Amino acid sequence: MENKYEISSSLQSLLDHIEEHLGTTIHLTRKQEAPRKGILLDQYTIAGSRNVIAFSNQQIGMLKDFVIAQNAIKLLLRGVAAKNGNYKVLSFDAKSATAGMEQIYLDVLKDEKTRHLDFWIKKKLMFYLYMLFHESIIELPWTLLSNVVVAKLCPVMRNAQVYYLMKESMRDMHDLVSFKDYIPRRYFVMHNGMFFARDLMLGEVMSEMKLNPMINIPELKKFKNLNLMEMLTHRWQKNPWYQTKLVGDAMVNILKELKVASVCEHPRPETYYQIYQVGEEITNRWIRLMQIEKYYFWDTPAHQAAALKNQEEYEKEARMAIFGEV
Protein backbone atom coordinates (compact mmCIF):
# COMPACT_ATOMS: atom_id res chain seq x y z
CA MET A 1 0.00 0.00 0.00
CA GLU A 2 1.25 3.45 -0.91
CA ASN A 3 0.46 5.68 2.06
CA LYS A 4 1.93 8.89 3.41
CA TYR A 5 -0.67 9.40 6.16
CA GLU A 6 -0.72 8.30 9.78
CA ILE A 7 -3.29 5.54 10.27
CA SER A 8 -4.11 3.15 13.10
CA SER A 9 -2.69 -0.36 13.26
CA SER A 10 -6.24 -1.71 12.93
CA LEU A 11 -6.78 0.07 9.62
CA GLN A 12 -3.30 -0.87 8.43
CA SER A 13 -4.04 -4.56 9.10
CA LEU A 14 -7.38 -4.31 7.27
CA LEU A 15 -5.82 -2.67 4.20
CA ASP A 16 -2.96 -5.17 4.14
CA HIS A 17 -5.44 -8.03 4.29
CA ILE A 18 -7.59 -6.62 1.45
CA GLU A 19 -4.54 -5.99 -0.74
CA GLU A 20 -3.29 -9.53 -0.18
CA HIS A 21 -6.70 -11.07 -0.79
CA LEU A 22 -7.37 -9.14 -4.00
CA GLY A 23 -3.78 -9.04 -5.22
CA THR A 24 -3.89 -5.27 -5.64
CA THR A 25 -2.62 -2.00 -4.17
CA ILE A 26 -4.72 0.62 -2.36
CA HIS A 27 -3.74 4.28 -2.66
CA LEU A 28 -4.90 6.77 -0.02
CA THR A 29 -5.22 10.48 -0.72
CA ARG A 30 -6.55 13.51 1.15
CA LYS A 31 -8.76 15.81 -0.94
CA GLN A 32 -10.28 19.14 0.04
CA GLU A 33 -13.34 18.49 -2.13
CA ALA A 34 -13.95 14.92 -0.97
CA PRO A 35 -17.43 14.35 0.53
CA ARG A 36 -17.86 13.17 4.13
CA LYS A 37 -18.32 9.57 3.02
CA GLY A 38 -15.07 9.68 1.02
CA ILE A 39 -14.55 8.65 -2.60
CA LEU A 40 -13.76 5.16 -3.86
CA LEU A 41 -12.26 4.88 -7.34
CA ASP A 42 -11.69 1.19 -7.98
CA GLN A 43 -10.42 -0.78 -10.94
CA TYR A 44 -13.51 -2.99 -10.96
CA THR A 45 -15.99 -0.13 -11.50
CA ILE A 46 -14.06 2.32 -13.64
CA ALA A 47 -11.59 1.75 -16.44
CA GLY A 48 -8.28 2.09 -14.66
CA SER A 49 -5.51 0.20 -12.94
CA ARG A 50 -5.47 1.93 -9.56
CA ASN A 51 -7.63 1.60 -6.46
CA VAL A 52 -7.86 5.01 -4.77
CA ILE A 53 -9.65 5.98 -1.57
CA ALA A 54 -9.93 9.73 -1.02
CA PHE A 55 -10.97 11.29 2.28
CA SER A 56 -11.77 14.84 3.33
CA ASN A 57 -9.23 17.31 4.74
CA GLN A 58 -11.59 17.85 7.65
CA GLN A 59 -11.43 14.23 8.82
CA ILE A 60 -8.64 13.23 11.18
CA GLY A 61 -7.82 10.44 13.61
CA MET A 62 -10.18 7.50 13.95
CA LEU A 63 -12.92 9.30 12.02
CA LYS A 64 -10.63 9.40 9.00
CA ASP A 65 -9.69 5.75 9.56
CA PHE A 66 -13.34 4.72 9.69
CA VAL A 67 -14.18 6.48 6.41
CA ILE A 68 -11.22 4.76 4.75
CA ALA A 69 -12.17 1.38 6.23
CA GLN A 70 -15.77 1.66 5.05
CA ASN A 71 -14.63 2.34 1.49
CA ALA A 72 -12.04 -0.41 1.71
CA ILE A 73 -14.74 -2.97 2.53
CA LYS A 74 -16.77 -1.82 -0.49
CA LEU A 75 -13.62 -2.30 -2.57
CA LEU A 76 -13.18 -5.77 -1.09
CA LEU A 77 -16.74 -6.83 -1.95
CA ARG A 78 -16.47 -5.50 -5.50
CA GLY A 79 -13.13 -7.22 -5.99
CA VAL A 80 -14.38 -10.55 -4.67
CA ALA A 81 -17.43 -10.36 -6.94
CA ALA A 82 -15.20 -9.51 -9.94
CA LYS A 83 -12.94 -12.48 -9.15
CA ASN A 84 -16.04 -14.68 -9.19
CA GLY A 85 -17.11 -13.18 -12.54
CA ASN A 86 -20.28 -11.71 -11.07
CA TYR A 87 -19.70 -8.02 -10.40
CA LYS A 88 -22.78 -6.17 -11.65
CA VAL A 89 -24.22 -2.74 -10.94
CA LEU A 90 -27.64 -1.17 -11.34
CA SER A 91 -27.83 0.69 -14.62
CA PHE A 92 -30.46 2.22 -16.88
CA ASP A 93 -31.11 3.22 -20.47
CA ALA A 94 -33.57 5.37 -22.40
CA LYS A 95 -36.26 2.68 -22.19
CA SER A 96 -36.05 2.12 -18.42
CA ALA A 97 -35.71 5.87 -17.80
CA THR A 98 -38.89 6.44 -19.80
CA ALA A 99 -40.74 3.75 -17.83
CA GLY A 100 -39.55 5.14 -14.51
CA MET A 101 -40.21 8.79 -15.34
CA GLU A 102 -43.66 8.00 -16.67
CA GLN A 103 -44.61 6.25 -13.42
CA ILE A 104 -43.20 9.12 -11.39
CA TYR A 105 -45.29 11.58 -13.43
CA LEU A 106 -48.43 9.52 -12.79
CA ASP A 107 -47.61 9.48 -9.08
CA VAL A 108 -47.16 13.26 -9.14
CA LEU A 109 -50.63 13.57 -10.65
CA LYS A 110 -52.15 11.21 -8.07
CA ASP A 111 -50.71 12.95 -5.02
CA GLU A 112 -52.95 15.71 -3.68
CA LYS A 113 -49.97 17.91 -2.79
CA THR A 114 -48.20 17.72 -6.14
CA ARG A 115 -50.95 17.40 -8.72
CA HIS A 116 -51.41 21.20 -8.82
CA LEU A 117 -47.74 22.04 -9.32
CA ASP A 118 -46.76 23.93 -12.44
CA PHE A 119 -46.12 21.69 -15.43
CA TRP A 120 -42.44 22.68 -15.69
CA ILE A 121 -41.91 21.63 -12.06
CA LYS A 122 -43.56 18.27 -12.71
CA LYS A 123 -41.27 17.70 -15.69
CA LYS A 124 -38.18 18.47 -13.62
CA LEU A 125 -39.36 16.26 -10.77
CA MET A 126 -39.54 13.21 -13.00
CA PHE A 127 -35.85 12.90 -13.76
CA TYR A 128 -34.75 14.33 -10.40
CA LEU A 129 -36.56 11.57 -8.49
CA TYR A 130 -35.51 8.94 -11.00
CA MET A 131 -31.82 9.73 -10.50
CA LEU A 132 -32.20 10.29 -6.74
CA PHE A 133 -33.46 6.74 -6.27
CA HIS A 134 -30.76 5.36 -8.54
CA GLU A 135 -28.11 7.09 -6.45
CA SER A 136 -29.65 5.84 -3.19
CA ILE A 137 -30.36 2.23 -4.11
CA ILE A 138 -26.89 1.63 -5.61
CA GLU A 139 -25.29 2.93 -2.40
CA LEU A 140 -27.35 2.07 0.69
CA PRO A 141 -27.22 -1.77 0.75
CA TRP A 142 -23.43 -1.65 0.41
CA THR A 143 -23.08 1.11 2.99
CA LEU A 144 -25.08 -1.04 5.40
CA LEU A 145 -22.95 -4.13 4.79
CA SER A 146 -19.63 -2.27 4.89
CA ASN A 147 -20.58 -0.74 8.24
CA VAL A 148 -21.46 -4.12 9.71
CA VAL A 149 -18.19 -5.64 8.48
CA VAL A 150 -16.11 -2.71 9.79
CA ALA A 151 -17.84 -3.04 13.18
CA LYS A 152 -16.83 -6.71 13.29
CA LEU A 153 -13.29 -6.43 11.92
CA CYS A 154 -12.26 -3.08 13.46
CA PRO A 155 -13.99 -2.70 16.86
CA VAL A 156 -11.42 -0.06 17.88
CA MET A 157 -13.19 2.31 15.46
CA ARG A 158 -16.57 1.90 17.17
CA ASN A 159 -16.76 5.35 18.80
CA ALA A 160 -15.79 7.14 15.57
CA GLN A 161 -18.21 4.96 13.62
CA VAL A 162 -21.15 5.72 15.91
CA TYR A 163 -20.36 9.45 15.86
CA TYR A 164 -20.18 9.44 12.06
CA LEU A 165 -23.38 7.43 11.63
CA MET A 166 -25.39 9.59 14.03
CA LYS A 167 -24.39 12.74 12.14
CA GLU A 168 -25.10 11.16 8.75
CA SER A 169 -28.42 9.74 9.90
CA MET A 170 -29.74 13.16 10.83
CA ARG A 171 -28.61 14.61 7.49
CA ASP A 172 -29.90 11.70 5.39
CA MET A 173 -33.34 11.61 7.00
CA HIS A 174 -33.82 15.35 6.54
CA ASP A 175 -32.42 15.84 3.03
CA LEU A 176 -35.90 15.82 1.49
CA VAL A 177 -37.81 17.55 4.30
CA SER A 178 -37.68 21.00 2.70
CA PHE A 179 -39.00 19.47 -0.54
CA LYS A 180 -41.62 17.14 0.91
CA ASP A 181 -44.52 19.29 -0.32
CA TYR A 182 -43.10 19.24 -3.84
CA ILE A 183 -42.64 15.49 -4.27
CA PRO A 184 -45.23 12.71 -4.02
CA ARG A 185 -45.44 11.41 -0.47
CA ARG A 186 -44.76 7.89 -1.70
CA TYR A 187 -41.24 8.89 -2.77
CA PHE A 188 -40.49 10.81 0.41
CA VAL A 189 -41.58 7.78 2.43
CA MET A 190 -39.69 5.22 0.34
CA HIS A 191 -36.49 7.24 0.27
CA ASN A 192 -36.44 7.88 4.02
CA GLY A 193 -37.56 4.30 4.66
CA MET A 194 -34.26 3.03 3.23
CA PHE A 195 -32.25 5.19 5.63
CA PHE A 196 -34.53 4.19 8.53
CA ALA A 197 -33.88 0.52 7.75
CA ARG A 198 -30.13 1.06 7.48
CA ASP A 199 -29.92 2.85 10.82
CA LEU A 200 -32.25 0.54 12.70
CA MET A 201 -30.38 -2.54 11.48
CA LEU A 202 -26.98 -1.06 12.30
CA GLY A 203 -28.25 -0.12 15.75
CA GLU A 204 -29.32 -3.69 16.38
CA VAL A 205 -26.20 -5.33 14.96
CA MET A 206 -23.88 -2.99 16.83
CA SER A 207 -25.99 -3.00 20.03
CA GLU A 208 -25.93 0.78 19.84
CA MET A 209 -29.20 2.47 20.83
CA LYS A 210 -27.90 5.88 19.74
CA LEU A 211 -28.26 4.72 16.13
CA ASN A 212 -31.93 3.85 16.52
CA PRO A 213 -33.86 6.35 14.33
CA MET A 214 -36.80 6.09 16.75
CA ILE A 215 -34.52 7.75 19.29
CA ASN A 216 -32.17 9.75 17.10
CA ILE A 217 -34.66 11.38 14.68
CA PRO A 218 -36.94 13.94 16.40
CA GLU A 219 -39.88 13.36 14.05
CA LEU A 220 -39.86 9.62 14.81
CA LYS A 221 -39.63 9.85 18.61
CA LYS A 222 -43.39 10.41 18.90
CA PHE A 223 -44.05 6.90 17.53
CA LYS A 224 -41.75 5.08 19.95
CA ASN A 225 -44.34 4.40 22.64
CA LEU A 226 -47.56 4.42 20.63
CA ASN A 227 -49.81 1.45 21.23
CA LEU A 228 -51.42 -0.42 18.34
CA MET A 229 -54.81 1.29 18.60
CA GLU A 230 -53.20 4.73 18.47
CA MET A 231 -51.12 3.73 15.47
CA LEU A 232 -54.21 2.67 13.55
CA THR A 233 -55.94 6.01 13.94
CA HIS A 234 -56.46 8.16 10.87
CA ARG A 235 -54.25 10.85 12.37
CA TRP A 236 -51.11 8.70 12.38
CA GLN A 237 -51.83 6.83 9.16
CA LYS A 238 -51.64 10.14 7.28
CA ASN A 239 -48.33 11.17 8.86
CA PRO A 240 -45.41 10.80 6.39
CA TRP A 241 -42.97 10.03 9.18
CA TYR A 242 -45.17 7.25 10.49
CA GLN A 243 -45.47 5.89 6.95
CA THR A 244 -41.67 6.09 6.74
CA LYS A 245 -41.49 3.93 9.87
CA LEU A 246 -43.82 1.33 8.35
CA VAL A 247 -41.81 1.11 5.12
CA GLY A 248 -38.54 1.07 7.08
CA ASP A 249 -39.83 -1.72 9.32
CA ALA A 250 -40.73 -3.75 6.21
CA MET A 251 -37.21 -3.22 4.85
CA VAL A 252 -35.70 -4.27 8.17
CA ASN A 253 -37.79 -7.46 8.04
CA ILE A 254 -36.22 -8.18 4.65
CA LEU A 255 -32.76 -7.73 6.17
CA LYS A 256 -33.65 -10.15 8.93
CA GLU A 257 -35.08 -12.68 6.46
CA LEU A 258 -31.77 -12.52 4.58
CA LYS A 259 -29.93 -13.09 7.89
CA VAL A 260 -27.64 -10.10 7.35
CA ALA A 261 -26.45 -10.11 10.97
CA SER A 262 -25.44 -13.78 10.96
CA VAL A 263 -23.86 -13.69 7.48
CA CYS A 264 -21.64 -10.80 8.60
CA GLU A 265 -21.03 -12.05 12.13
CA HIS A 266 -17.54 -13.41 11.38
CA PRO A 267 -16.32 -11.88 8.09
CA ARG A 268 -13.52 -13.93 6.56
CA PRO A 269 -12.28 -14.80 3.05
CA GLU A 270 -14.68 -17.72 2.61
CA THR A 271 -17.71 -15.55 3.44
CA TYR A 272 -16.86 -12.35 1.50
CA TYR A 273 -18.59 -13.47 -1.67
CA GLN A 274 -21.65 -14.54 0.31
CA ILE A 275 -21.79 -11.05 1.83
CA TYR A 276 -21.65 -9.57 -1.67
CA GLN A 277 -24.52 -11.81 -2.81
CA VAL A 278 -26.57 -10.68 0.18
CA GLY A 279 -25.99 -7.09 -0.95
CA GLU A 280 -27.42 -7.91 -4.36
CA GLU A 281 -30.43 -9.59 -2.80
CA ILE A 282 -31.09 -6.67 -0.44
CA THR A 283 -31.11 -4.41 -3.50
CA ASN A 284 -33.51 -6.69 -5.39
CA ARG A 285 -35.88 -7.14 -2.46
CA TRP A 286 -35.99 -3.44 -1.59
CA ILE A 287 -36.63 -2.56 -5.24
CA ARG A 288 -39.54 -5.00 -5.36
CA LEU A 289 -40.93 -3.63 -2.11
CA MET A 290 -40.83 -0.09 -3.51
CA GLN A 291 -42.33 -1.32 -6.81
CA ILE A 292 -39.64 0.29 -8.93
CA GLU A 293 -38.43 -2.88 -10.67
CA LYS A 294 -38.87 -1.39 -14.14
CA TYR A 295 -36.75 1.67 -13.30
CA TYR A 296 -33.29 -0.01 -13.31
CA PHE A 297 -31.57 -3.26 -14.23
CA TRP A 298 -28.31 -5.10 -13.48
CA ASP A 299 -25.54 -4.67 -16.02
CA THR A 300 -21.80 -4.09 -16.28
CA PRO A 301 -20.01 -1.13 -14.69
CA ALA A 302 -19.15 0.04 -18.21
CA HIS A 303 -22.85 0.14 -19.09
CA GLN A 304 -23.61 2.19 -15.97
CA ALA A 305 -20.77 4.60 -16.72
CA ALA A 306 -22.14 5.12 -20.25
CA ALA A 307 -25.66 5.61 -18.87
CA LEU A 308 -24.50 8.29 -16.42
CA LYS A 309 -22.62 10.00 -19.24
CA ASN A 310 -25.72 9.94 -21.48
CA GLN A 311 -28.30 10.71 -18.80
CA GLU A 312 -29.27 14.10 -20.25
CA GLU A 313 -29.97 12.46 -23.61
CA TYR A 314 -32.04 9.74 -21.93
CA GLU A 315 -34.04 12.42 -20.11
CA LYS A 316 -34.80 14.17 -23.40
CA GLU A 317 -35.82 10.89 -25.05
CA ALA A 318 -38.08 10.05 -22.11
CA ARG A 319 -39.80 13.44 -22.19
CA MET A 320 -40.32 13.13 -25.92
CA ALA A 321 -41.83 9.65 -25.51
CA ILE A 322 -44.13 10.78 -22.67
CA PHE A 323 -45.15 14.27 -23.76
CA GLY A 324 -44.13 14.46 -27.40
CA GLU A 325 -41.83 17.36 -26.48
CA VAL A 326 -38.58 18.02 -24.63
Side-chain angles (χ1 to χ4, degrees):
M1 181 188 74
E2 293 186 9
N3 174 37
K4 54 182 181 288
Y5 307 102
E6 183 177 339
I7 60 176
S8 64
S9 58
S10 179
L11 176 59
Q12 185 69 64
S13 297
L14 177 66
L15 296 177
D16 289 344
H17 171 67
I18 292 173
E19 288 184 331
E20 180 181 359
H21 188 69
L22 297 180
T24 189
T25 300
I26 299 173
H27 304 268
L28 303 182
T29 182
R30 188 189 295 274
K31 293 290 184 182
Q32 178 68 39
E33 65 275 16
R36 292 181 298 272
K37 65 180 180 180
I39 301 173
L40 171 60
L41 302 174
D42 64 278
Q43 66 189 77
Y44 311 106
T45 306
I46 61 176
S49 58
R50 284 162 53 95
N51 294 306
V52 179
I53 298 176
F55 55 94
S56 170
N57 279 348
Q58 299 176 5
Q59 292 167 334
I60 60 175
M62 276 298 178
L63 182 60
K64 168 195 84 238
D65 285 10
F66 164 70
V67 170
I68 294 171
Q70 182 178 235
N71 282 286
I73 296 301
K74 292 178 182 178
L75 169 66
L76 172 63
L77 296 179
R78 293 175 185 180
V80 167
K83 288 176 69 174
N84 281 272
N86 188 42
Y87 178 41
K88 300 289 185 182
V89 294
L90 276 186
S91 189
F92 57 95
D93 56 20
K95 182 179 178 181
S96 64
T98 298
M101 288 171 64
E102 184 172 30
Q103 183 58 55
I104 291 169
Y105 182 66
L106 293 175
D107 290 332
V108 169
L109 295 179
K110 291 176 187 175
D111 192 285
E112 60 185 20
K113 285 192 175 182
T114 56
R115 66 176 62 151
H116 301 300
L117 293 175
D118 290 342
F119 182 57
W120 69 271
I121 297 179
K122 293 175 182 175
K123 288 173 68 174
K124 282 190 172 296
L125 268 179
M126 292 160 59
F127 197 64
Y128 167 76
L129 288 175
Y130 181 79
M131 292 306 297
L132 175 68
F133 272 79
H134 180 259
E135 179 182 349
S136 298
I137 197 64
I138 65 173
E139 179 68 24
L140 276 169
W142 308 106
T143 298
L144 167 66
L145 292 174
S146 65
N147 268 281
V148 176
V149 174
V150 169
K152 300 299 181 182
L153 293 181
C154 305
V156 70
M157 298 180 189
R158 177 64 61 88
N159 288 340
Q161 183 176 16
V162 171
Y163 172 82
Y164 174 90
L165 290 171
M166 283 185 63
K167 293 288 187 181
E168 288 304 292
S169 175
M170 291 292 290
R171 293 189 184 102
D172 293 336
M173 293 290 282
H174 290 93
D175 270 351
L176 292 182
V177 169
S178 58
F179 305 105
K180 68 182 178 66
D181 292 332
Y182 297 93
I183 61 175
R185 176 172 294 184
R186 156 175 148 80
Y187 290 91
F188 176 86
V189 167
M190 291 192 305
H191 191 260
N192 276 15
M194 288 188 282
F195 292 106
F196 179 99
R198 178 201 64 185
D199 297 340
L200 193 62
M201 189 67 186
L202 285 175
E204 291 184 12
V205 171
M206 297 169 64
S207 301
E208 181 54 72
M209 291 301 293
K210 292 178 183 178
L211 298 181
N212 189 331
M214 299 286 285
I215 297 173
N216 192 30
I217 306 300
E219 292 87 349
L220 291 167
K221 288 181 180 178
K222 67 184 74 171
F223 308 121
K224 187 173 183 295
N225 297 313
L226 285 184
N227 61 42
L228 182 59
M229 290 303 295
E230 288 176 311
M231 289 181 181
L232 293 176
T233 63
H234 180 74
R235 173 192 174 191
W236 296 121
Q237 287 178 333
K238 288 290 186 179
N239 186 295
W241 287 100
Y242 179 63
Q243 293 170 345
T244 292
K245 177 188 179 304
L246 293 182
V247 171
D249 284 341
M251 290 179 169
V252 170
N253 287 337
I254 288 173
L255 298 175
K256 292 179 177 179
E257 289 172 10
L258 295 175
K259 297 180 171 58
V260 170
S262 60
V263 170
C264 299
E265 180 62 31
H266 301 290
R268 54 196 184 280
E270 54 267 33
T271 65
Y272 294 155
Y273 185 52
Q274 184 183 5
I275 294 173
Y276 173 82
Q277 290 177 308
V278 168
E280 281 193 338
E281 190 57 26
I282 292 171
T283 305
N284 290 332
R285 297 278 293 274
W286 280 9
I287 282 177
R288 286 199 295 270
L289 176 66
M290 293 187 287
Q291 298 180 331
I292 58 173
E293 303 102 307
K294 61 185 178 182
Y295 291 21
Y296 320 107
F297 53 86
W298 293 101
D299 213 300
T300 64
H303 188 286
Q304 185 195 71
L308 292 171
K309 183 178 180 180
N310 296 321
Q311 59 180 286
E312 290 185 7
E313 189 61 35
Y314 293 165
E315 180 185 11
K316 291 178 182 177
E317 289 184 37
R319 286 185 176 181
M320 182 61 67
I322 297 169
F323 302 117
E325 60 175 319
V326 177

